[in-house]
Amino acid sequence: MNYKRLGLLLLAILLVVSSWLGIAIARSGLEVRSLQKEGVPLLYIAPQGAKAVPGVLVAHGFAGSKQLMLGYGHVLARAGYAVMLWDFDGHGANPARLQQYELQNNLDVALQALLEQPPVDPDRLALLGHSMGSGIVMTAGARSPDRFAATVAVSPTGASVTPQAPQNLQLQAGGGEGRFIGNAERLLAQAGGENANLAAGQGRELVVIPGVEHITILFSDGSHQAALEWLDATFGRTQESQYSDRRMAWYGLHLLGWLVGLAAISPLLTQPETITLKIAPLRRWAGSIAAPLVATAGLVLLSQRFNLQDLGGVQVGGAVGVWFLIAGLTWLGVLARLPRPTLRTAGLGIVLFVILWVAFGAMAQVVWLQWWLIPIRLRVWLPVAIACFPWFLASGIVQENVGVGKRILWWLGQSVVLIGGFVLTLNFLPQLGFMFLLLPLFPPLMGILSLVAGLLNRAWIYAIGSALFFGWLLAAGFPLSA
């Protein structure tokens, strides 16, 4: 290893160690405990040594998990609240199949767990939920207005609210999620309109957080602080917290460190030079454009005979895998050329998967995503990864031995093709609506994988590692279906 690559490796180690120190500092002074009650995985966060503090139940949305709501958990705990987060049925580490009518029971279990914590004042309780979780917390607040002093609904869906219940309702929506702004406006009108009378429990407000959409609002300091200010006003708390959640920045530094490390060791993961496939640029681009059209048509035809929404036991995720399978096979068919695989490329592809798994997921588990797969999700992972493999093989072929400029062009092209293909699919199959959760992920994810393709410059290594990684991501994210 030359001095340049040794320097990169040392820089990578410095970035990774610094990122974990940042996470450790963010958790310092807090009591963080994982719990389980009646099969529901829970996470409790509170100030160390706290006594008689308000308690807050924090509920995630569809395809989310307790980890995705940790930003609110840290901000509230730093400000003196005891917070209980949990995984709804079918989500995160909860192995129960998703049944909508059971979700309120999950909240009740979390409430009992929160009340069992000695620092929690049972007379000062509040609720916060995002998207699907917003409907659950608003329903709970309306059902028991005397128990919950405030409810914060982020990206709200729907609930039967009135001017009297729930108490002190704050509605939040991102500036980039128009449909949810409309939902919030209707709920505000239904709840009696803007009202600053929090002392009587009749407080009502709508806060639009600029520059964010349905997922990024969860990492927005504006959203965190608006919720905190509403709860502080409800409970008459004057103590000001200066804490802003910066854990995602440390996560980004961790990911960068691993990518720099991959750049340092990439010569060890590449094969000796092989014959470059001669494929005309027109054929490369024609395949990538035809792929989403054929995949959409294929899903529409399959929907006539199969319930795509629950395909493979995972809501929407199975259909995403089939979409990638059809699109990838179409792209490979147009390319009509495959490089020769070897045992070494297979082994190095698995090594790449391990590197991506650690780079992307090791810190995600404590920052924003339930990355460890429970057994029922592990059974989903490999079939979904195999389905995604043809797409990544085609992508790896077209990116072999191209310059930086063309690689950037392929990154943009793939992002546009995937977003356009999924939007087209949703136009014909609206029941797969939660595919839209993937759309904001495609540009950064394809950018990272294009960087990996450039470092390794071997289609089979890239395809095996990327497909296993992307399959894991889908298996981790989408809910288990009934």
Side-chain angles (χ1 to χ4, degrees):
M1 182 177 288
N2 60 34
Y3 288 114
K4 179 180 179 181
R5 296 196 179 278
L6 182 59
L8 284 176
L9 188 58
L10 292 175
L11 175 60
I13 293 172
L14 177 63
L15 292 175
V16 171
V17 171
S18 298
S19 66
W20 280 108
L21 285 175
I23 292 297
I25 292 171
R27 290 166 65 103
S28 64
L30 298 179
E31 179 185 356
V32 182
R33 285 190 287 115
S34 294
L35 311 168
Q36 184 135 347
K37 186 177 179 65
E38 297 182 25
V40 178
L42 304 126
L43 187 64
Y44 173 71
I45 308 176
Q48 290 180 351
K51 293 181 180 179
V53 297
V56 186
L57 294 174
V58 176
H60 64 78
F62 184 87
S65 65
K66 55 188 179 299
Q67 281 87 348
L68 195 57
M69 304 299 289
L70 275 171
Y72 298 97
H74 276 257
V75 168
L76 293 175
R78 285 286 182 187
Y81 291 85
V83 181
M84 187 66 75
L85 309 99
W86 70 97
D87 289 332
F88 281 117
D89 286 352
H91 292 76
N94 192 329
R97 299 289 185 172
L98 176 60
Q99 302 279 359
Q100 292 289 340
Y101 56 83
E102 294 287 346
L103 299 184
Q104 200 70 48
N105 292 340
N106 292 163
L107 184 145
D108 293 338
V109 170
L111 172 61
Q112 289 306 311
L114 180 64
L115 293 173
E116 291 169 2
Q117 308 307 312
V120 176
D121 182 349
D123 296 323
R124 293 191 295 168
L125 299 175
L127 299 156
L128 186 150
H130 172 248
S131 194
M132 177 186 77
S134 73
I136 303 300
V137 299
M138 284 189 289
T139 298
R143 182 184 63 182
S144 305
D146 294 334
R147 178 178 287 279
F148 300 107
T151 299
V152 178
V154 182
S155 303
T157 50
S160 297
V161 299
T162 70
Q164 291 75 39
Q167 291 197 64
N168 297 333
L169 175 63
Q170 182 191 71
L171 301 159
Q172 291 188 22
E177 47 177 356
R179 179 165 65 90
F180 290 94
I181 294 177
N183 287 346
E185 290 171 344
R186 286 190 293 273
L187 285 165
L188 182 64
Q190 187 179 333
E194 295 273 355
N195 193 327
N197 191 4
L198 278 79
Q202 297 174 1
R204 302 283 186 267
E205 79 169 358
L206 167 59
V207 181
V208 177
I209 310 297
V212 296
E213 42 75 51
H214 196 64
I215 301 300
T216 53
I217 192 173
L218 300 177
F219 307 106
S220 164
D221 190 56
S223 176
H224 300 161
Q225 296 303 323
L228 174 61
E229 291 170 8
W230 188 254
L231 297 182
D232 279 348
T234 294
F235 294 116
R237 294 166 59 90
T238 56
Q239 179 183 2
E240 294 186 1
S241 170
Q242 302 300 317
Y243 177 79
S244 295
D245 187 49
R246 296 289 182 261
R247 293 170 311 111
M248 281 300 290
W250 292 117
Y251 172 79
L253 194 67
H254 177 267
L255 179 58
L256 175 62
W258 276 93
L259 293 176
V260 170
L262 180 60
I265 67 170
S266 58
L268 303 177
L269 301 180
T270 55
Q271 284 187 295
E273 284 296 328
T274 57
I275 298 173
T276 303
L277 295 178
K278 301 295 184 181
I279 302 174
L282 180 60
R283 179 174 289 182
R284 297 173 186 236
W285 284 104
S288 68
I289 294 171
L293 301 177
V294 177
T296 300
L299 276 191
V300 171
L301 290 175
L302 287 172
S303 69
Q304 308 303 313
R305 298 195 60 182
F306 301 98
N307 179 11
L308 296 180
Q309 190 170 359
D310 298 329
L311 194 63
V314 180
Q315 286 206 2
V316 181
V320 171
V322 173
W323 190 97
F324 270 94
L325 175 63
I326 299 172
L329 290 175
T330 301
W331 197 358
L332 287 176
V334 174
L335 293 175
R337 299 287 300 276
L338 291 178
R340 181 181 301 174
T342 65
L343 287 176
R344 187 171 187 271
T345 56
L348 291 176
I350 293 172
V351 171
L352 174 60
F353 162 65
V354 173
I355 292 172
L356 289 173
W357 190 95
V358 175
F360 192 89
M363 187 175 284
Q365 180 71 24
V366 296
V367 174
W368 72 281
L369 179 64
Q370 173 66 42
W371 189 245
W372 292 97
L373 297 186
I374 56 178
I376 194 171
R377 291 186 179 275
L378 272 175
R379 293 198 292 270
V380 172
W381 162 54
L382 203 53
V384 173
I386 292 171
C388 295
F389 175 76
W391 175 274
F392 287 105
L393 181 57
S395 175
I397 290 171
V398 301
Q399 293 184 80
E400 271 194 350
N401 300 315
V402 300
V404 175
K406 288 185 177 179
R407 196 171 303 284
I408 293 174
L409 188 61
W410 273 114
W411 161 54
L412 293 173
Q414 278 194 87
S415 299
V416 170
V417 163
L418 288 172
I419 291 172
F422 275 59
V423 170
L424 181 65
T425 300
L426 293 176
N427 184 61
F428 289 99
L429 299 172
Q431 66 268 33
L432 301 179
F434 280 97
M435 275 186 171
F436 86 90
L437 292 172
L438 287 172
L439 302 187
L441 289 177
F442 281 136
L445 188 59
M446 290 302 139
I448 291 171
L449 294 181
S450 290
L451 174 62
V452 170
L455 293 173
L456 300 178
N457 201 33
R458 294 294 179 268
W460 279 93
I461 300 174
Y462 166 80
I464 292 171
S466 298
L468 290 172
F469 164 70
F470 191 69
W472 189 283
L473 186 62
L474 293 181
F478 285 103
L480 303 169
S481 58

